[in-house]
Amino acid sequence: MNLRERWDHYLSHDAPPLVQFVKYGLAGGLATVTHVLAFFLVGFLLFPCVTDNDPLVKLFGLVAPAVDEALRARHAVFSNVVAFFVSNTVCYLANRWFVFRPGRHHVVIEFLLFLAVSAVSMIIGTTLMGVLIQRFGIETTYAFGANILSSLAINYVMRKFFVFKG
C-alpha cells in the first residue's frame, strides 16, 4: 500500500481502531473548543456565570458582572445547555463524516440518539459542575473542566457501540 492509499485508508471509516480513536479525539477537540467558546460567550454575555477571580476573566483582562453563588451556578447550567446544542451539532457532523460509519439508524434517529447520549453525559457533567460551584465555591473554569472530562468517557463508548456502526 503506497502512502496515498494508506492516508486515504486512515481517513476512511475503515481506519484501524487506534486511528479511529485519534480521529475521535480530533473531532472531540473541535467540539470541545466549540463548546468552550459557546459556553463562555453565553456565560459572559447572556447568562453571567463568571467572577473576577475566574482564570479566563483574568487572562483576558475582563470585568465580570457580580452575581451570587446560586445565580452563578444556575447561569452556568443555562450557558452549558446552550453550548450543548451548538457543540453537539458540530460534533455529530464531524463524527458522522470523519470518525464512525453512519447507517446503523436512519439519519434523524441517529442524530436524536447522538443527542440523547450527549444529553445523559451533559446532565451528569452539568450536575457535577453546579455542585462544585454552589457547594464548594470552585471557579467556573475548573468546574466546567470536570464537566468536560466526565462527558468524554461516557460519549465515546455510547457513540461507538450504540449510535454508529463502530
Side-chain angles (χ1 to χ4, degrees), residues 34-53:
T34 301
H35 193 104
V36 168
L37 288 173
F39 176 82
F40 282 103
L41 282 172
V42 171
F44 194 81
L45 301 173
L46 196 58
F47 298 112
C49 67
V50 294
T51 67
D52 285 331
N53 292 325

Side-chain angles (χ1 to χ4, degrees), residues 20-86:
Q20 184 185 46
F21 188 75
V22 169
K23 291 186 333 179
Y24 179 79
L26 292 172
L30 173 65
T32 300
V33 167
T34 301
H35 193 104
V36 168
L37 288 173
F39 176 82
F40 282 103
L41 282 172
V42 171
F44 194 81
L45 301 173
L46 196 58
F47 298 112
C49 67
V50 294
T51 67
D52 285 331
N53 292 325
D54 193 278
L56 291 179
V57 171
K58 287 180 177 181
L59 178 68
F60 293 110
L62 302 171
V63 176
V67 292
D68 65 41
E69 294 297 298
L71 184 60
R72 186 166 70 94
R74 194 167 37 257
H75 280 184
V77 170
F78 296 158
S79 298
N80 202 46
V81 169
V82 172
F84 167 84
F85 285 106
V86 173

Side-chain angles (χ1 to χ4, degrees), residues 70-128:
L71 184 60
R72 186 166 70 94
R74 194 167 37 257
H75 280 184
V77 170
F78 296 158
S79 298
N80 202 46
V81 169
V82 172
F84 167 84
F85 285 106
V86 173
S87 67
N88 270 276
T89 300
V90 168
C91 192
Y92 171 75
L93 294 172
N95 276 280
R96 189 172 210 285
W97 293 334
F98 185 59
V99 182
F100 299 117
R101 181 178 300 282
R104 179 176 289 207
H105 309 283
H106 183 275
V107 67
V108 173
I109 300 300
E110 185 178 80
F111 182 66
L112 292 175
L113 285 171
F114 188 91
L115 286 178
V117 164
S118 296
V120 168
S121 68
M122 184 197 72
I123 289 166
I124 293 167
T126 301
T127 301
L128 174 64

